Amino acid sequence: MKTLSEDLYKQFSAFLEAQVGIVLGPNKQYLVKSRLSPLMSTYGFSSLEELINKAMNIRERELRMVVIDAMTTNETLWFRDIYPFQLLTDKLFPELGKNGKTIKVWSAASSSGQEPYSIAMMALEHQYKKPGTLSGGVQIVATDISLSMLNQCKEGIYDNLALARGLSTERKRQFFEPCADGSKMKISDRVKKLVTFRHFNLLDSYAPLGKFDLIFCRNVLIYFSPEIKSKILNQFAMSLNPGGYLLLGASESLSGLTERFDMVRCNPGIIYKLK
């Protein structure tokens, strides 16, 4: 059976929030069913209830990770919203890369890799168009809680459908190589070498990641409660070097959550500078 009782849904919602901070909210049973039902046959469960109860058992680490993975995997696209990537060239690369400084960037929810690889492509384009700039280079750390997404990121192989979402023909030609079967393309090594992928939960300590000049956390905070949003934002502030910036999604705001940043209005878009 693929039904989900109200009581079990509430238990699972609390479990998911405790594990990764994601708040499902009421009446999202359909989302749980659509994400987890495919796992029933894979792992030999006869009901969704059995699968969820087993996943919430503390001893079932592997199944727990698979279930969390299924619930947190989100689609993304290349150069999403465009303006944050234009800001890299217009403002952030020139400002943060002065005097040969290496710019350290964190893509805090890399999903299938489009965001960190888009940042890397912008860095390479900037160096090509303005020789001598970014002499210290750009180092990108990309993290995600989904192990399957991270494996896909590291492979850097995308099908035609993924490549069609936000990627120009010119960038495809410049930064990708065709795979042997012709239906997919692989991102080039010169893009890949700028990005390091790491498994990371935004509820954990940020100290092992080090310090950054720029943090991308776009369209992620919408899934968290206000308390967890506030905690994450204050941890971001502690993870930034002086003068560092935070970029959020277009619909996200810091209002009432933290006072560690000044809002900087750009044209277009808004970014947040560490106070």
Side-chain angles (χ1 to χ4, degrees), residues 19-225:
Q19 292 292 315
V20 292
I22 289 178
V23 179
L24 284 177
N27 305 316
K28 290 286 180 70
Q29 285 93 331
Y30 71 90
L31 181 63
V32 177
K33 284 189 251 184
S34 66
R35 293 284 180 95
L36 299 188
S37 292
L39 300 179
M40 287 168 55
S41 58
T42 306
Y43 288 88
F45 291 102
S46 58
S47 71
L48 196 57
E49 184 176 279
E50 186 186 0
L51 168 66
I52 289 172
N53 278 320
K54 191 90 167 178
M56 292 192 295
N57 186 321
I58 196 166
R59 291 190 295 272
E60 298 290 336
R61 185 176 185 277
E62 183 185 342
L63 182 62
R64 185 169 74 249
M65 289 303 297
V66 169
V67 164
I68 289 170
D69 196 350
M71 290 303 303
T72 56
T73 299
N74 294 292
E75 286 191 8
T76 185
L77 58 154
W78 306 95
F79 300 92
R80 185 173 183 174
D81 299 330
I82 301 173
Y83 77 83
F85 301 95
Q86 193 59 48
L87 278 173
L88 290 175
T89 293
D90 293 347
K91 174 180 174 61
L92 299 171
F93 284 160
E95 183 179 325
L96 297 172
K98 282 178 184 174
N99 304 318
K101 184 179 182 297
T102 300
I103 302 175
K104 294 186 176 179
V105 183
W106 178 14
S107 171
S110 60
S111 189
S112 46
Q114 281 89 332
E115 181 177 271
Y117 283 142
S118 294
I119 297 168
M121 284 186 256
M122 290 302 296
L124 292 170
E125 286 180 357
H126 190 79
Q127 287 174 318
Y128 176 75
K129 290 173 183 173
K130 299 182 179 180
T133 60
L134 291 186
S135 58
V138 175
Q139 295 176 358
I140 303 159
V141 173
T143 64
D144 203 273
I145 198 165
S146 168
L147 289 168
S148 64
M149 284 289 104
L150 288 168
N151 289 333
Q152 186 177 323
C153 291
K154 290 172 186 175
E155 266 194 324
I157 295 173
Y158 299 91
D159 61 24
N160 290 327
L161 182 63
L163 291 166
R165 303 188 68 202
L167 195 67
S168 68
T169 304
E170 173 57 25
R171 282 180 172 141
K172 197 188 302 183
R173 183 194 64 76
Q174 194 174 354
F175 297 118
F176 289 80
E177 301 156 5
C179 294
D181 66 359
S183 66
K184 297 179 179 179
M185 296 188 82
K186 185 173 185 176
I187 200 150
S188 68
D189 287 343
R190 65 196 185 104
V191 177
K192 253 186 171 181
K193 72 178 184 180
L194 298 184
V195 188
T196 303
F197 291 97
R198 292 180 62 171
H199 182 242
F200 187 73
N201 185 336
L202 286 171
L203 300 190
D204 292 343
S205 167
Y206 294 11
L209 296 176
K211 294 276 193 174
F212 298 93
D213 303 295
L214 186 57
I215 297 174
F216 276 66
C217 185
R218 306 179 60 239
N219 309 297
V220 178
L221 294 179
I222 52 174
Y223 298 106
F224 299 119
S225 69

Side-chain angles (χ1 to χ4, degrees), residues 251-272:
S251 64
E252 295 170 316
S253 163
L254 301 188
S255 179
L257 298 171
T258 182
E259 295 182 354
R260 301 289 302 276
F261 296 88
D262 286 320
M263 187 171 69
V264 180
R265 292 188 181 277
C266 304
N267 189 18
I270 291 168
I271 55 176
Y272 299 93

